[in-house]
Amino acid sequence: MFLDPAALAIVFGGTALAAALRTPARDLGRALLALRVLPRRRFRADTRLDQIAALSRIAARHGVHALDRSIIHDTDVAAAVALIVDGAQPQAVVDSLDTARRARIERHRLVIDCWNGAAEAAPALGMVGTLVGLVAMFTRMSDPSAIGAAMAVALLATLYGALLANLVAMPIATRLRAAARAEAIERARLVAALAELAAREAPRVRAGGRFPSEPVAIADDEAEDAEHAPRERAA
């Protein structure tokens, strides 16, 4: 009784078309892929802080160049450690993390805007479906058997638009915004630890650090890191 193919096509198809027209294809793909993070736990920086502490011990024992062979899953931490190995000043490391943070916030904002746009377009497309149904009804007044189907399109389109906006698109945007805010706060905790490591190791790099005789690999203890960032080697 509450399923009408014409109303579904107008609302869902129209909302998808509106999102595709107002959002670049890359950002639209990211918005769809962002659905994977909804069932996950909120981002926590604890495992990354533990890894930075381990890297600090390795650098103190074997020299900062030992970190060049460390396996680091998080891309931001990997880039910062690469700068530390190259002898960058603490401010350069902080600037690199800040640039990565701003880029991530912008990507999150574009994804959230995509879902907010869908939430705005769905009720409007529901109203379009209502108008289409009313037009079909008025053009078939001479056929009583067709009036019911046209009226169903008119009413169900409004219903679909309201449900799509308030039970799908808007909740997704709200949850993604909360997850992005939590990640930004947690990643801010990494800055001080990495800047401290850079401040300690920069003079030693300029003085000439010693290379370890064997590679030293450091990996996160939890599989959560593999979900948040691809495995990389610090350059």
Side-chain angles (χ1 to χ4, degrees), residues 55-104:
L55 292 171
S56 180
R57 292 192 295 269
I58 292 297
R61 185 179 303 121
H62 300 286
V64 69
H65 293 285
L67 306 184
D68 197 29
R69 295 178 174 84
S70 301
I71 298 175
I72 305 173
H73 300 304
D74 190 274
T75 55
D76 291 1
V77 177
V81 170
L83 290 174
I84 294 172
V85 172
D86 292 337
Q89 294 297 316
Q91 187 59 45
V93 175
V94 172
D95 291 342
S96 174
L97 292 171
D98 184 65
T99 300
R101 179 184 64 85
R102 291 177 182 274
R104 179 175 287 103

